[in-house]
Amino acid sequence: MKTETKSEFYWNGVTKNRGSFLLGTGVKVGEWKHYFYTGALEKAGRYVNGRKEGEWIYYNIDGNLKCAKYFKNGKEIKELYKKFTGGNIDEDENDNMWEAFFGEDCC
């Protein structure tokens, strides 16, 4: 399968998103990155046959990790809550704390 990589841009010239499509189909495949208008990374993940697959990582506009979600066949399977502690990324099993900070749905 041949692919083509494309990017979309905001009015200010900053990349809005970048990823690949199956040639001639418009179906998203492979790694994709989406950016805020400032150029900061908003989210990153992978598409398989036009559907989100595996772990997708979401960031705040200031660049801090917001959360991660796991997808299978385009459907969200699990929302993973993570935080930075001492330079490492640790999973946090205290969902209530994260819900209080981010709201019921962090992303």
Side-chain angles (χ1 to χ4, degrees), residues 23-86:
L23 195 61
T25 67
V27 175
K28 292 179 180 180
V29 293
E31 298 296 320
W32 272 76
K33 292 185 177 182
H34 300 263
Y35 301 90
F36 291 103
Y37 69 94
T38 61
L41 184 61
E42 178 183 6
K43 59 186 171 183
R46 183 170 59 97
Y47 283 96
V48 174
N49 294 322
R51 297 180 180 149
K52 288 181 178 179
E53 188 70 29
E55 189 175 66
W56 277 72
I57 308 293
Y58 296 79
Y59 299 88
N60 292 320
I61 198 165
D62 60 6
N64 291 321
L65 179 65
K66 186 174 180 182
C67 69
K69 292 184 177 187
Y70 187 82
F71 291 85
K72 186 167 185 168
N73 293 321
K75 296 185 181 194
E76 183 183 326
I77 302 299
K78 182 178 181 183
E79 190 160 3
L80 308 169
Y81 295 93
K82 295 184 178 184
K83 64 178 182 176
F84 283 104
T85 56

Side-chain angles (χ1 to χ4, degrees), residues 1-6 20-29:
M1 290 186 273
K2 292 189 176 189
T3 62
E4 60 182 330
T5 301
K6 290 191 174 181
S20 297
F21 294 92
L22 288 176
L23 195 61
T25 67
V27 175
K28 292 179 180 180
V29 293

